[in-house]
Amino acid sequence: MANINPFVVHGHIPPELFCDRKEESEKLLHFLNNQQNVVLSAPRRMGKAKLVEFVFDKPEMSDKYITVFIDILETGNLREFIFSLGNAVFNRIAKRSERLMKLFTSAIKSLQASFGYDPIQGMPTFDIKLGDLIYPEYTLKEIFSYIDQADKRCLIVIDEFQQICNYPEKNIEATLRTYIQKSKNANFVFAGSQRRIMSEMFGSEKRPFYNSAREIDLDAIDLSVYINFVQEQFKKATRSILPEAIEKVYGTFKGVTLYNQQIMNDAFDMAQDGEVIDLVKVDLLINDFIKENDKRIRELLHFVTDNQKEVLYAIASEGEVSGITSSAFTKKHRLKSPSSTQSALKSLLKSDLITRKNGLYSVSDPLMDLWLQKKVNKISI
């Protein structure tokens, strides 16, 4: 283990290198084993998908269930959702056996003419294009009917589930709720990074998914737990890092798991030559990380209007702020008007560039927040 970097950033995380999440993983196991659906909410990059993978990898889960995972963040309508679901079901369920493959091609009648064929394997392929989905709701019904015929119970994770609220089709929540409610052989994990929207979807009596799933809220790993984890990994490899250096990284990135792991990954590599990782060294690593992401953040902000950028910079300069539409805030940051700020806020919240918690607005992504602050303070990166 000392020969590899234990701070995994991409790909599968071995169980021995998975940090904490004991309470959350036990809850997820309990709910799913008792055939309950789950809402898993967390800010982006906090480790939702990795938690699900960690739980699904447990022998008591992998032996009992078929697991299906789809990420719908990039989908924009019902047809794209169905395409993602159908492709995942084909690869995770139909490919399990020749019987399930034949059952899939016969069950999805609306797409039979569009299936490809592999002459070497002598089996159909899911060579479906979006244009083949002529009757999307009918195809959706067929997919759910097929899932009910799988040889094991299915656990289906839909990541960034709040995205369905942006689909142009009417009553999409009610449509999905109907099929999910009637499903006889599957349970669902609805994972989402926009907590406000997820809370409304599952907590409002006026919404179809109201009170239909158990809730797990994923926050940052406890600081003391993370410090112990990091120091243990360094110690195993006879490398050194000061606890205050770990705390600096954790605080800088507000405990966001992916960013913590990235800096620790770099720090572990730096320490291989006998370097003791202190505050000075993590500052260098953080600054390098910001530089590395400079182009990506610039490209992202290219799609933001000037008015929205002004409000975004104003929020970043404050850290956390309330009363954004007040005349005092408008005057302090030389914004156009409270009404234009209100309009910008709606767009920034919708695009998840800012978040609102306990009445306070802040930049959602700690890395972007750092980048903006450096620009506001005219610090070179």
Side-chain angles (χ1 to χ4, degrees):
M1 192 63 65
N3 294 324
I4 70 166
N5 196 312
F7 301 99
V8 182
V9 178
H10 303 292
H12 179 262
I13 302 177
E16 64 273 16
L17 296 180
F18 195 85
C19 180
D20 195 35
R21 300 302 190 197
K22 292 180 180 178
E23 181 180 346
E24 296 92 340
S25 59
E26 287 174 1
K27 277 186 178 181
L28 187 56
L29 269 170
H30 174 75
F31 292 152
L32 293 177
N33 276 325
N34 285 282
Q35 299 183 7
Q36 298 186 70
N37 297 332
V38 177
V39 180
L40 181 60
S41 299
R44 255 179 218 153
R45 307 174 187 88
M46 197 62 81
K48 298 185 304 297
K50 295 302 181 186
L51 172 64
V52 171
E53 289 176 9
F54 174 70
V55 170
F56 283 1
D57 278 347
K58 292 181 178 293
E60 63 265 39
M61 300 296 281
S62 58
D63 293 344
K64 288 171 57 177
Y65 303 105
I66 303 170
T67 56
V68 180
F69 187 100
I70 63 170
D71 184 344
I72 64 168
L73 181 62
E74 301 302 324
T75 62
N77 54 49
L78 180 60
R79 286 200 307 165
E80 291 178 358
F81 174 90
I82 294 169
F83 180 83
S84 295
L85 179 62
N87 195 42
V89 167
F90 180 84
N91 285 307
R92 294 293 295 170
I93 301 178
K95 285 187 174 181
R96 286 171 55 81
S97 69
E98 184 176 347
R99 183 188 74 82
L100 286 171
M101 182 72 80
K102 290 180 178 178
L103 182 61
F104 185 84
T105 55
S106 62
I108 315 299
K109 296 181 175 62
S110 61
L111 297 177
Q112 281 180 350
S114 303
F115 282 107
Y117 186 79
D118 183 345
I120 297 176
Q121 298 291 330
M123 298 294 287
T125 59
F126 193 77
D127 190 26
I128 309 298
K129 303 295 186 291
L130 282 173
D132 298 325
L133 296 168
I134 300 173
Y135 306 105
E137 287 200 29
Y138 190 70
T139 303
L140 184 65
K141 181 180 179 180
E142 292 173 334
I143 292 173
F144 272 91
S145 177
Y146 174 74
I147 290 170
D148 281 343
Q149 300 175 69
D151 58 344
K152 287 184 179 181
R153 192 166 187 84
C154 301
L155 301 178
I156 300 175
V157 182
I158 307 176
D159 199 13
E160 302 300 347
F161 187 67
Q162 75 279 338
Q163 184 65 18
I164 69 170
C165 298
N166 297 322
Y167 292 175
E169 291 86 1
K170 294 182 179 179
N171 303 317
I172 184 66
E173 289 181 55
T175 299
L176 287 177
R177 175 74 171 96
T178 297
Y179 290 125
I180 288 169
Q181 188 177 34
K182 292 180 179 179
S183 182
K184 302 173 184 176
N185 194 38
N187 285 100
F188 294 79
V189 177
F190 309 103
S193 60
Q194 292 182 262
R195 287 171 157 178
R196 179 181 59 84
I197 298 176
M198 294 291 286
S199 178
E200 290 174 0
M201 290 177 73
F202 291 89
S204 171
E205 295 182 9
K206 299 178 181 179
R207 305 287 283 267
F209 279 97
Y210 170 68
N211 209 26
S212 64
R214 303 298 295 271
E215 294 188 20
I216 299 176
D217 208 24
L218 204 63
D219 285 309
I221 295 169
D222 182 80
L223 174 58
S224 62
V225 172
Y226 192 66
I227 288 175
N228 289 337
F229 171 77
V230 172
Q231 289 203 299
E232 181 182 351
Q233 302 309 321
F234 270 73
K235 185 177 179 180
K236 285 179 181 177
T238 62
R239 304 180 194 190
S240 299
I241 184 169
L242 301 180
E244 54 265 33
I246 304 169
E247 185 173 357
K248 173 64 182 292
V249 173
Y250 183 99
T252 298
F253 293 109
K254 301 176 183 178
V256 171
T257 307
L258 178 60
Y259 295 152
N260 289 343
Q261 290 286 93
Q262 183 63 71
I263 301 301
M264 289 304 136
N265 182 287
D266 293 339
F268 187 84
D269 181 60
M270 179 186 282
Q272 68 181 328
D273 297 323
E275 298 268 5
V276 176
I277 305 301
D278 56 16
L279 289 170
V280 173
K281 291 185 176 64
V282 294
D283 276 337
L284 289 172
L285 292 172
I286 290 169
N287 205 50
D288 286 345
F289 188 47
I290 297 171
K291 287 180 182 178
E292 180 184 326
N293 285 273
D294 179 71
K295 183 180 178 181
R296 179 183 68 82
I297 295 173
R298 288 179 186 275
E299 290 176 348
L300 183 61
L301 292 177
H302 178 73
F303 299 97
V304 177
T305 67
D306 288 343
N307 185 41
Q308 291 167 19
K309 283 180 186 175
E310 290 172 5
V311 174
L312 194 59
Y313 274 106
I315 293 172
S317 69
E318 299 277 351
E320 290 185 329
V321 60
S322 61
I324 291 181
T325 57
S326 68
S327 57
F329 187 84
T330 301
K331 184 177 180 180
K332 178 180 179 181
H333 294 283
R334 300 173 188 171
L335 303 176
K336 292 178 182 178
S337 67
S339 60
S340 66
T341 299
Q342 183 66 51
S343 176
L345 277 177
K346 289 181 181 179
S347 298
L348 291 170
L349 283 167
K350 186 175 181 180
S351 60
D352 200 32
L353 288 176
I354 64 170
T355 188
R356 184 175 182 270
K357 186 176 182 180
N358 300 324
L360 296 173
Y361 293 91
S362 60
V363 178
S364 300
D365 183 353
L367 180 58
M368 177 180 282
D369 193 27
L370 284 172
W371 188 91
L372 291 167
Q373 287 179 36
K374 286 181 176 291
K375 292 297 180 183
V376 169
N377 296 316
K378 295 181 172 57
I379 300 172
S380 63
I381 59 175

